[in-house]
Amino acid sequence: MKRLRMVAGALAGLILAGFAAAQNPAAAKTSGKKSSPTVAAAQEFLDEAESRYFDLTNKAQRASWVEENFITDDTEEIAAQANQELSAFSAEMSRKAHEFDSLTLPTEMARKMLLLKLSAGFPAPADAKEQKELSQVLASLDGDYGKGKWCPSGNASKCLDVTAVGKLMATSRDPEELKRAWMGWHAVGAPMRQRYARMVELGNKGSRELGFRDAGALWRSNYDMAPDELTKETDRLWEQLRPLYESLHAYVRGQLRKKYGNEIVPAHGPIPAHLLGNIWSQEWNNVYSLMDSPKPPQSYDLTKILEDRRTDVQGMARYGEAFFISLGFAPLPKTFWERSLFTKPADRDVVCHASAWDIDSKDDLRIKMCIQITEEDFRVIHHELGHNFYQRAYNGQPPLFQNSANDGFHEAVGDTIALSVTPEYLKKIGLIDAVPEASGDIDYLLQQALEKIAFLPFGLLVDKWRWEVFANQVKPEEYNKAWWELRRKYQGIVPPVERTESDFDPGAKYHVPSNTPYMRYFLARILQFQFQRALCRETGYTGPLDRCSIYGNKAAGERLNKMLGMGLSKPWPEALAVLTGETQMDASALADYFAPLRTWLDEENKANHYPVGW
Ligand code: X8Z
Ligand code: ZN
């Protein structure tokens, strides 16, 4: 994930109104009573705001890095303070930017003013006490998730952190054990409930002070369209893909039923959430081995290959870096290898959820990830490096433009590269000896779909839930109920045991306590296939998209870099057009990629009498 202005913006959301007022008390109090603003004054305001914003962002980045790498009461406090300062400053600048609303500014300045108005990711109210409270609540929620553990049978010497629970849920096929692990991890959320409700109150108050309906409307304002348009846009994209998801759901339910029996998996109803190989049932690739799709003769197990070759954690990252280098990008800086966290330390709590950082907005790029030597983390490492190469590509832009075209773009870049990790590519770099025949495409597409298609409704619903919470359509006393209604409606899954309002299951998902927006991942799933289709076209490739790898193609690299280098300087449709020639987010690239699988799934479901829907 991109930290700058995302977690930093969110975590910090608040602090600086007091700070900015202290710096310039007159400016903070005089709105409504001054002489008409001028373009020159606007320029001066922007220059100052950008430079201060740059400094505060970097300070907050560093504090958050330390906090997430060494979670203690002290580092939480230090991160809270730095983020408070940034957040309050952003809120104040957002307010002040309105003083220039009457001017017609040159395009670039106008865009900066707009971005400044949106820069407070999760703004605190102007009241200094409330700012402090919000920043502390945010830091403590983030820390709680990082410290989260499941201690089976209450045995404190045998506790499992999120990585260990994830591994168990990926590999165990014992439904009782899976249920215990699922419940064990989900207990991490419960203590967060009150603080989460308070966080919502404060963030909404801050958002309203800046003229937004609520914090959700602020989040949805970051897409160069009206907030309600974004809601419609995501619903439109989902409707394009829903039939494919339902077909996959039907097939997987039928196969799980075969494995676990009718008692555990119903014929028609939703799938129990603990059986899908993932703590949150968000991606189902870990139950691939339970699917009896036709395996081609030369099929391979990348996890096993990586293990057999004794690939180490840095070796995993080297594969990702080498791909970018093959496209013409410069190698990662030496400091990346020295300063990143690649392994879970044995002696302290860290936030293991993978993230990519640009500490100084120059070249201090890092990742923080508790890497496992698996096929899944091979993909995640490409995802993270996508963030780092994006960060580097736009670091020549002015501070306010140092971000992706929209947040879905940031999440899509590394995944686009990972789509090029095809069997042909693996053979080229010597990881496999033979490429499975084209007849194995269905099997390959099924593996991909268990990751990409299975994720779509989850990617959509996390923020559907938050938007409803922020809009006060869902009140604290129905947080969990609303969560499970959405999980059932969109994903067709149910919890393995009854849940109540003493649980807080959204809190067991990193992005909720860390207050990181999630719709970006839904958008990224769509965008990465658009990016991939365009880049493959650039290389002259005309075959099936799942077999296309852009590895080594400098023309594709150049085209990609051209878009990345634009950062946030232009509305996202312009950036999209630079890479793809298209100006709309469009699910057709994804649908085309999976078209052969769609036909196959529909036939299988029919032949096996697997009903569709729940
Ligand atoms: O959080 C992430 C990345 C870091 S930005 C590892 N992802 C989402 C998740 O894990 O829930 C990538 C896919 C969705
Ligand atoms: Zn990411």
Side-chain angles (χ1 to χ4, degrees):
M1 141 204 1
K2 152 107 181 110
R3 307 291 302 194
L4 188 80
R5 279 182 294 276
M6 302 244 162
V7 169
L11 233 185
L14 280 254
I15 308 199
L16 230 353
F19 173 84
Q23 293 292 90
N24 188 355
K29 299 271 176 213
T30 54
S31 54
K33 281 217 164 169
K34 24 180 135 50
S35 51
S36 316
T38 60
V39 174
Q43 184 66 64
E44 201 181 323
F45 164 72
L46 280 175
D47 288 348
E48 267 184 46
E50 273 202 295
S51 132
R52 185 89 189 117
Y53 184 61
F54 186 80
D55 291 345
L56 290 173
T57 303
N58 294 337
K59 194 169 152 197
Q61 288 283 98
R62 213 175 280 282
S64 292
W65 171 266
V66 174
E67 185 257 325
E68 291 207 351
N69 276 275
F70 306 84
I71 307 174
T72 68
D73 294 341
D74 297 314
T75 58
E76 272 180 22
E77 184 60 28
I78 292 167
Q81 280 173 19
N83 281 297
Q84 181 180 346
E85 217 179 318
L86 169 64
S87 172
F89 177 75
S90 304
E92 181 61 13
M93 291 303 103
S94 173
R95 269 185 274 275
K96 286 203 72 191
H98 284 287
E99 292 175 13
F100 302 93
D101 281 351
S102 60
L103 288 177
T104 305
L105 294 171
T107 316
E108 184 174 313
M109 283 176 71
R111 183 152 180 85
K112 285 186 178 176
M113 283 294 182
L114 171 74
L115 295 174
L116 215 44
K117 287 174 193 162
L118 298 168
S119 67
F122 195 75
D127 176 78
K129 236 177 96 209
E130 289 180 327
Q131 288 176 4
K132 185 161 186 211
E133 185 187 354
L134 179 57
S135 66
Q136 285 174 338
V137 167
L138 286 164
S140 82
L141 289 171
D142 188 60
D144 275 12
Y145 184 91
K147 286 184 277 196
K149 285 180 190 65
W150 167 47
C151 307
S153 350
N155 184 346
S157 66
K158 284 217 174 107
C159 298
L160 280 69
D161 64 10
V162 67
T163 313
V165 179
K167 195 167 173 186
L168 188 156
M169 296 216 52
T171 49
S172 170
R173 304 296 184 224
D174 170 352
E176 282 309 310
E177 182 181 42
L178 286 167
K179 194 192 280 182
R180 283 194 297 275
W182 188 97
M183 289 165 64
W185 181 257
H186 279 78
V188 164
M192 300 174 183
R193 173 185 276 268
Q194 252 76 44
R195 272 169 298 153
Y196 191 80
R198 182 66 181 145
M199 181 206 90
V200 171
E201 259 171 34
L202 291 168
N204 273 341
K205 188 169 174 203
S207 302
R208 282 194 281 270
E209 286 178 10
L210 296 183
F212 296 92
R213 208 161 59 212
D214 57 59
L218 170 53
W219 282 11
R220 291 192 302 280
S221 299
N222 282 294
Y223 298 90
D224 298 301
M225 61 177 90
D228 293 348
E229 286 304 304
L230 193 259
T231 312
K232 282 193 209 135
E233 190 61 359
T234 49
D235 287 343
R236 175 184 73 80
L237 293 165
W238 166 240
E239 281 308 318
Q240 280 183 272
L241 298 165
R242 192 165 55 84
L244 174 55
Y245 175 76
E246 288 179 358
S247 197
L248 179 70
H249 178 280
Y251 178 72
V252 170
R253 179 177 54 195
Q255 298 276 292
L256 290 177
R257 205 168 139 77
K258 215 165 128 184
K259 164 78 185 166
Y260 291 112
N262 307 347
E263 296 286 294
I264 297 181
V265 184
H268 298 272
I271 303 173
H274 60 309
L275 304 178
L276 289 157
N278 179 281
I279 302 179
W280 310 276
S281 328
Q282 66 181 64
E283 283 157 346
W284 305 346
N285 41 297
N286 291 318
V287 295
Y288 161 71
S289 59
L290 299 181
M291 307 291 118
D292 49 28
S293 60
K295 308 277 179 288
Q298 297 97 342
S299 59
Y300 55 86
D301 176 349
L302 189 53
T303 300
K304 193 161 176 312
I305 294 168
L306 293 166
E307 275 171 0
D308 288 351
R309 296 191 170 226
R310 307 210 183 296
T311 310
D312 62 11
V313 288
Q314 292 214 8
M316 296 276 279
R318 288 279 179 204
Y319 280 115
E321 183 199 34
F323 201 120
F324 280 93
I325 293 174
S326 88
L327 297 177
F329 290 84
L332 290 162
K334 197 163 147 271
T335 49
F336 172 89
W337 303 101
E338 294 161 354
R339 297 174 186 171
S340 290
L341 180 115
F342 298 103
T343 320
K344 162 116 180 62
D347 59 345
R348 63 177 198 265
D349 288 320
V350 301
V351 175
C352 266
H353 189 89
S355 53
W357 301 62
D358 178 8
I359 299 284
D360 62 357
S361 309
K362 292 194 189 91
D363 209 29
D364 191 349
L365 305 168
R366 308 178 192 178
I367 59 165
K368 183 172 60 57
M369 178 174 169
C370 304
I371 299 180
Q372 308 273 300
I373 310 302
T374 59
E375 178 272 333
E376 186 168 329
D377 275 3
F378 194 73
R379 170 168 46 82
V380 176
I381 197 84
H382 287 77
H383 174 96
E384 296 308 328
L385 293 187
H387 289 306
N388 287 141
F389 281 96
Y390 209 155
Q391 287 159 345
R392 179 192 262 170
Y394 58 56
N395 73 11
Q397 291 282 353
L400 281 166
F401 295 158
Q402 288 184 16
N403 210 331
S404 52
N406 71 36
D407 54 6
F409 281 56
H410 229 304
E411 299 303 334
V413 173
D415 285 5
T416 303
I417 300 304
L419 286 175
S420 275
V421 177
T422 57
E424 286 77 4
Y425 162 72
L426 293 175
K427 174 149 189 289
K428 207 178 249 177
I429 63 166
L431 276 177
I432 59 173
D433 298 328
V435 173
E437 288 161 22
S439 63
D441 264 18
I442 290 299
D443 179 65
Y444 183 70
L445 284 174
L446 179 64
Q447 282 188 57
Q448 293 284 73
L450 289 170
E451 184 212 319
K452 304 290 182 191
I453 305 298
F455 178 78
L456 292 165
F458 185 76
L460 185 76
L461 74 82
V462 173
D463 276 357
K464 279 204 173 283
W465 179 81
R466 265 192 297 209
W467 294 348
E468 288 175 10
V469 165
F470 292 158
N472 206 27
Q473 288 155 358
V474 168
K475 313 247 182 311
E477 55 277 17
E478 50 196 25
Y479 275 170
N480 229 40
K481 180 170 158 277
W483 175 254
W484 284 106
E485 277 169 10
L486 290 167
R487 298 267 267 167
R488 187 187 182 106
K489 176 175 171 188
Y490 286 98
Q491 283 185 283
I493 65 160
V494 282
V497 289
E498 206 199 322
R499 308 305 279 168
T500 70
E501 293 302 328
S502 52
D503 303 304
F504 181 54
D505 294 327
K509 175 67 197 164
Y510 170 73
H511 303 72
V512 174
S514 78
N515 208 30
T516 309
Y518 208 79
M519 197 54 84
R520 59 185 62 177
Y521 301 109
F522 174 77
L523 299 177
R525 291 286 146 132
I526 314 282
L527 285 165
Q528 63 192 254
F529 287 91
Q530 285 182 267
F531 294 174
Q532 148 92 345
R533 179 169 66 182
L535 290 168
C536 290
R537 202 187 298 134
E538 181 73 32
T539 68
Y541 178 87
T542 51
L545 285 170
D546 62 309
R547 292 280 174 143
C548 165
S549 179
I550 62 165
Y551 180 70
N553 193 293
K554 300 281 187 298
E558 216 171 280
R559 191 153 187 131
L560 177 63
N561 192 40
K562 210 164 149 203
M563 180 186 81
L564 302 188
M566 291 169 74
L568 183 52
S569 62
K570 298 274 160 37
W572 65 259
E574 287 183 47
L576 183 61
V578 164
L579 178 54
T580 67
E582 300 151 19
T583 52
Q584 270 223 318
M585 291 188 271
D586 170 17
S588 75
L590 186 152
D592 288 353
Y593 184 101
F594 286 107
L597 182 75
R598 173 80 207 276
T599 311
W600 183 84
L601 284 171
D602 290 348
E603 281 166 6
E604 282 295 300
N605 288 337
K606 214 186 233 163
N608 290 299
H609 307 288
Y610 291 161
V612 176
W614 50 87

